[in-house]
Amino acid sequence: MTKMRSNRLKIVFMVCLAIVTIGGQHFESKVAQLLQDETEHIKCFVERKDLTCFWEERNHLHHQYTFTYSYENKNKMACAVSSLLAGNKTIFFCKLPKTPFFTTLDVQVLRDGRMLYTRSLNAENFLFLDPPQNLTVMSSGKEGQLNVSWLPPPLKYMDDSMIYEVRYAAEGSNMGKVEVVKVSTMLVLLGLQSDTRYTVWARVKPDGVAYKGYWSAWTEPVFGVTPPSDVDPLIVLLVLFIGLILCLLSLTVILSHHKFLLKKLWPDIPTPEHKFPGLFTVYKGDFKEWMSQNNGSMWGRSAHVYTEELPSPLEVLSEVSLTSHGMSQREEEEEKESERSDSGLTDRWRDPPHAHWLMEQLRALQENPESRCQSSLLQSHDTYVTLNQGDNEQQVYDVFEETLPLQTLFTTAGTSSLSTSHSDLGSLQQSLGSGRLSSRSSFEYPNHTWPHKGPGYAYMAVADSGVSMDYSPMSSSRIAELGRHRMYTNDYKNEICPHKWPLSGQHIKSGSESCTGPVW
Amino acid sequence: MQTFSGLVSVLIVFVWLGGNQVSPLRPICDLRVLEHFVREARDSEVIMRGCRGGCGAMKSYFVPLTSVDFAFWEHIDVHEQAVEVQTGLSLLVQALSTAMKAMSNSRLANALDNNISNIHSLSQILHSLDLQARSTVLPDDSAPTSSQTQEVSSLPELLQVQSSFLRGKVRLLLSAAPACQRQNS
């Protein structure tokens, strides 16, 4: 019977000791922290509802310490002093019974009856709470989220004046984040990595309005695992595979049509270099030099110069007598200015004829409608091309015989397919003879007025770029094809109405868009 | 801040007037209002600390007792608590008014005036919670210190008493008001 009692007493004692030890761990840790942080001699804190004050002394023997406190002008009250050994120092502490809050406490420490330390403080400003209890981390089921919850301090009137800090970090990571929570005792962590183990800590402190104090110690770490990502890896793989196939298909299409695409997206800048062989490479752009060197070869060259352009048909605006005005006649100033690229040739041209002479020629042409018909669309008073070998005799062209102004050209050039040719050619200086070009003009044929005079009828097709022309003889079929297209000058519009010819005496202006005759 | 407390007072008055005629007052249970008043009382203490020479307010005041023993407090009836709180608020208004009249610092005088307005608003809040004092007996200035009052000899002490009283007894009463408990339940 006595043995059973003694055993029970021992068990109770061990349990009490354990409880005291647990509490002592918190108490000792708080004491240790305040010993480092608090500068006052008397260090005080409220653990639950009672104020505890302590001070540190070296191991002195035979000293009597007394702790007293008073408030609201009341008499001083004494508090029982206890001690703890901490290495070579001793901690003396006193726990006030029925601690008065919201009033100024005057505490004093007396050693052997003499005042040692004194301090005035309000107990509600020194709360040093225990860490939050029951810290729990659970998965919310949603990706990248964890639910954290804990219990508030067991203080009846203070639980709504608390502020919490929650610290969390991925396992193995040193980088943690801290979330602050006011009053509430739960928190949802967002933005977390999927399928990752996280460590969570929490601590508490009064919010500083009604109560103030120190941060509690961190809780023991609690672990939680975030749910895995919702995306099925098989779906991700399939999407990637399909994407890869689509990329390969598009690449194949692009590579098979790369030339077409390149041409559309990055077209070549047209350059006249191929029409002037050696001009830019040998003569460095000196057109005069190039012309002088290539005087005889230009005309004889078969014209593959406009592979990409349809040659514009020439229109003979008028026919002039070469005997009267020599080889080269110059155009009016307006036409010259409209073709800037031929400025290099202008110095070889002669002055334009007088207006009086022009009118005479016009009248002559008007009196002879047959020649007009024969000359059909290719008539020009002043604008014409003389393509001769420098032989003046060959340069004699009768106006009315100018139905074949270029016949000589073709004859000289060795082309016999042309029976007639009417043209006022463009601004290029010809390679035949002196190669001088008398005028420039551009021509336009209405679609339906292109003459078809049989397979032997040839026209001079001029590609009107202002710098060159195509003198190749053309077949009627080709002419017919060209006739279907409306061709314009590059510098001025020269609409030739059907059956309206300069011989009709209409006023003509260069650049006019009205349906008038051509300009000379 | 003064505008805020004035607005609260006006609102309370209107609600009270309307409530008297038609329906009872709607209880004001949000403690953030009180926390606002507590911060403004603390602001007065800060201004006082920066006041050299006491700002001309060197006088003794009768102020309420502020100490709270939780074990004892929770055993007191809520209406007794309300009486104690209302009495204390009246004493504070008197003391603050006396101090403000003798104040030479305009900034502190404005702060004291703001504190007085806040205390008036608190009385209205208690009224909305049906915690108005059924009978408030203001002690005479010449009367000796009663068990519910204490005497302080300086304005800093007066302001500290005001701050402690609001944070302690007034807050405990508001947080335990039955009208607010009914709302939460």
Side-chain angles (χ1 to χ4, degrees):
Chain A
M1 193 70 176
T2 43
K3 270 191 178 180
M4 286 176 64
R5 241 186 216 179
S6 63
N7 287 337
R8 284 179 185 175
L9 283 171
K10 283 180 183 177
I11 292 167
V12 170
F13 177 73
M14 293 299 292
V15 169
C16 290
L17 188 63
I19 292 170
V20 169
T21 305
I22 291 169
Q25 281 182 352
H26 282 292
F27 177 79
E28 286 180 0
S29 64
K30 291 173 185 174
V31 166
Q33 183 175 335
L34 286 179
L35 280 172
Q36 290 181 350
D37 299 339
E38 185 61 67
T39 57
E40 294 279 345
H41 290 289
I42 302 175
K43 307 171 202 308
C44 300
F45 64 94
V46 174
E47 201 170 13
R48 290 179 182 84
K49 282 188 179 179
D50 295 323
L51 180 70
T52 301
C53 292
F54 65 94
W55 63 99
E56 190 181 35
E57 293 293 337
R58 290 179 186 177
N59 288 338
H60 287 295
L61 299 175
H62 310 297
H63 280 294
Q64 189 73 26
Y65 290 95
T66 310
F67 184 90
T68 61
Y69 66 98
S70 64
Y71 61 98
E72 289 179 343
N73 297 328
K74 290 182 180 177
N75 295 330
K76 289 185 182 180
M77 288 165 278
C79 174
V81 177
S82 305
S83 62
L84 282 175
L85 286 173
N88 59 347
K89 292 185 179 180
T90 305
I91 306 296
F92 297 96
F93 63 94
C94 174
K95 194 172 182 180
L96 272 66
K98 296 182 181 180
T99 302
F101 287 84
F102 305 105
T103 187
T104 301
L105 282 169
D106 296 316
V107 295
Q108 291 177 349
V109 172
L110 302 167
R111 183 166 66 184
D112 300 328
R114 290 184 181 180
M115 183 77 69
L116 185 60
Y117 308 119
T118 182
R119 188 181 178 186
S120 294
L121 71 156
N122 281 43
E124 70 275 8
N125 295 337
F126 293 93
L127 266 63
F128 200 156
L129 304 170
D130 292 336
Q133 299 292 318
N134 275 30
L135 180 63
T136 309
V137 180
M138 293 178 64
S139 173
S140 64
K142 295 182 181 179
E143 186 181 349
Q145 290 187 11
L146 282 175
N147 288 345
V148 183
S149 63
W150 56 90
L151 292 178
L155 300 171
K156 190 175 180 180
Y157 300 105
M158 304 176 192
D159 51 356
D160 56 350
S161 302
M162 297 298 157
I163 184 172
Y164 304 92
E165 267 192 3
V166 176
R167 181 164 62 101
Y168 60 98
E171 194 178 32
S173 169
N174 294 328
M175 299 295 294
K177 290 186 181 179
V178 177
E179 295 284 343
V180 177
V181 182
K182 289 185 178 180
V183 182
S184 176
T185 58
M186 59 180 299
L187 174 69
V188 178
L189 298 176
L190 303 173
L192 305 178
Q193 299 175 10
S194 300
D195 199 18
T196 306
R197 186 180 165 93
Y198 279 86
T199 311
V200 181
W201 301 263
R203 64 178 183 178
V204 62
K205 193 185 86 164
D207 62 0
V209 180
Y211 302 94
K212 298 178 185 178
Y214 307 96
W215 276 112
S216 71
W218 289 104
T219 59
E220 291 298 316
V222 177
F223 302 95
V225 182
T226 50
S229 176
D230 292 337
V231 180
D232 192 0
L234 180 63
I235 295 173
V236 172
L237 279 173
L238 282 172
V239 169
L240 286 173
F241 185 67
I242 291 168
L244 186 66
I245 291 174
L246 287 173
C247 286
L248 286 171
L249 279 172
S250 57
L251 264 173
T252 308
V253 169
I254 290 169
L255 286 172
S256 62
H257 296 88
H258 76 280
K259 286 186 180 175
F260 174 75
L261 290 172
L262 200 65
K263 189 179 174 183
K264 286 296 177 186
L265 296 175
W266 200 266
D268 293 330
I269 300 171
T271 163
E273 191 170 345
H274 62 283
K275 300 186 193 298
F276 301 90
L279 171 61
F280 297 103
T281 54
V282 179
Y283 299 97
K284 310 297 178 189
D286 190 347
F287 196 75
K288 288 183 185 177
E289 282 294 319
W290 180 82
M291 281 299 294
S292 63
Q293 295 297 324
N294 295 294
N295 210 0
S297 62
M298 183 62 189
W299 183 242
R301 188 175 296 110
S302 64
H304 294 287
V305 288
Y306 284 106
T307 57
E308 299 177 356
E309 299 178 13
L310 292 174
S312 307
L314 289 177
E315 176 182 335
V316 177
L317 297 179
S318 65
E319 293 181 1
V320 294
S321 170
L322 293 177
T323 54
S324 303
H325 303 286
M327 289 289 295
S328 55
Q329 296 290 339
R330 211 176 140 181
E331 279 187 346
E332 291 184 355
E333 290 298 326
E334 290 176 337
E335 290 186 2
K336 277 180 60 182
E337 292 172 356
S338 64
E339 298 186 5
R340 294 181 298 273
S341 58
D342 296 330
S343 61
L345 302 174
T346 56
D347 57 342
R348 294 198 182 214
W349 295 9
R350 296 183 185 175
D351 295 331
H354 294 287
H356 179 66
W357 175 82
L358 284 172
M359 290 308 297
E360 287 181 355
Q361 295 296 324
L362 277 172
R363 275 189 229 103
L365 286 171
Q366 281 179 346
E367 290 169 3
N368 193 352
E370 297 175 1
S371 64
R372 183 178 53 181
C373 294
Q374 287 181 357
S375 61
S376 70
L377 304 172
L378 300 175
Q379 294 180 5
S380 167
H381 262 293
D382 193 32
T383 56
Y384 61 91
V385 174
T386 56
L387 304 171
N388 56 73
Q389 296 286 348
D391 187 358
N392 291 330
E393 293 178 357
Q394 295 182 352
Q395 296 171 3
V396 175
Y397 288 96
D398 187 81
V399 174
F400 300 103
E401 297 175 354
E402 192 59 14
T403 55
L404 306 171
L406 294 178
Q407 187 177 12
T408 307
L409 300 175
F410 287 98
T411 306
T412 310
T415 56
S416 58
S417 60
L418 297 174
S419 57
T420 58
S421 61
H422 302 269
S423 70
D424 285 341
L425 297 181
S427 56
L428 262 190
Q429 198 174 30
Q430 302 309 310
S431 58
L432 295 177
S434 63
R436 283 171 290 183
L437 202 62
S438 62
S439 66
R440 296 167 297 175
S441 68
S442 54
F443 300 91
E444 184 176 275
Y445 282 101
N447 292 343
H448 58 281
T449 57
W450 193 275
H452 296 261
K453 298 210 173 176
Y457 197 85
Y459 288 84
M460 291 302 297
V462 178
D464 193 356
S465 68
V467 294
S468 63
M469 65 188 83
D470 186 0
Y471 295 107
S472 60
M474 301 172 65
S475 63
S476 58
S477 61
R478 176 67 175 155
I479 292 166
E481 182 183 357
L482 290 176
R484 295 191 198 101
H485 301 281
R486 195 171 181 81
M487 300 175 196
Y488 298 86
T489 66
N490 61 339
D491 291 318
Y492 65 90
K493 292 227 176 132
N494 188 15
E495 296 186 7
I496 307 298
C497 298
H499 311 299
K500 284 189 181 179
W501 293 109
L503 297 180
S504 63
Q506 292 177 2
H507 181 59
I508 297 159
K509 283 187 178 178
S510 171
S512 168
E513 298 198 9
S514 61
C515 194
T516 58
V519 178
W520 43 56
Chain B
M1 296 306 150
Q2 189 174 354
T3 310
F4 176 79
S5 60
L7 180 64
V8 170
S9 304
V10 169
L11 287 172
I12 290 169
V13 167
F14 277 123
V15 170
W16 177 72
L17 287 173
N20 270 354
Q21 292 174 4
V22 181
S23 58
L25 279 173
R26 193 169 181 181
I28 301 174
C29 296
D30 194 344
L31 289 176
R32 287 178 293 180
V33 177
L34 176 62
E35 289 176 1
H36 182 75
F37 296 157
V38 167
R39 290 193 183 94
E40 291 193 336
R42 199 173 295 166
D43 292 341
S44 297
E45 287 185 83
V46 172
I47 297 171
M48 186 69 231
R49 281 191 221 114
C51 203
R52 296 177 185 178
C55 299
M58 299 303 294
K59 198 180 175 182
S60 62
Y61 308 95
F62 282 101
V63 293
L65 297 174
T66 59
S67 60
V68 173
D69 183 355
F70 288 109
F72 179 75
W73 180 263
E74 61 189 11
H75 287 95
I76 300 175
D77 181 58
V78 66
H79 291 287
E80 289 182 26
Q81 295 175 0
V83 169
E84 189 171 342
V85 166
Q86 286 280 28
T87 306
L89 290 176
S90 300
L91 280 170
L92 284 173
V93 167
Q94 259 186 355
L96 290 170
S97 300
T98 305
M100 190 178 69
K101 288 173 187 174
M103 183 51 58
S104 59
N105 187 304
S106 60
R107 187 179 171 206
L108 185 55
N110 290 335
L112 293 177
D113 188 38
N114 193 30
N115 296 149
I116 292 168
S117 300
N118 293 344
I119 291 172
H120 286 308
S121 302
L122 272 173
S123 299
Q124 296 299 323
I125 291 173
L126 290 173
H127 183 76
S128 74
L129 299 174
D130 198 24
L131 294 174
Q132 69 277 18
R134 300 239 164 64
S135 61
T136 54
V137 178
L138 297 177
D140 194 4
D141 285 346
S142 60
T145 307
S146 65
S147 58
Q148 292 184 344
T149 62
Q150 61 176 326
E151 188 178 359
V152 294
S153 58
S154 66
L155 183 56
E157 289 179 71
L158 167 60
L159 295 177
Q160 193 175 11
V161 164
Q162 178 196 207
S163 180
S164 298
F165 192 73
L166 293 177
R167 291 161 62 197
K169 291 183 177 179
V170 176
R171 192 176 189 282
L172 287 170
L173 178 63
L174 290 178
S175 62
C180 297
Q181 300 300 323
R182 282 194 294 270
Q183 272 192 350
N184 294 334
S185 61

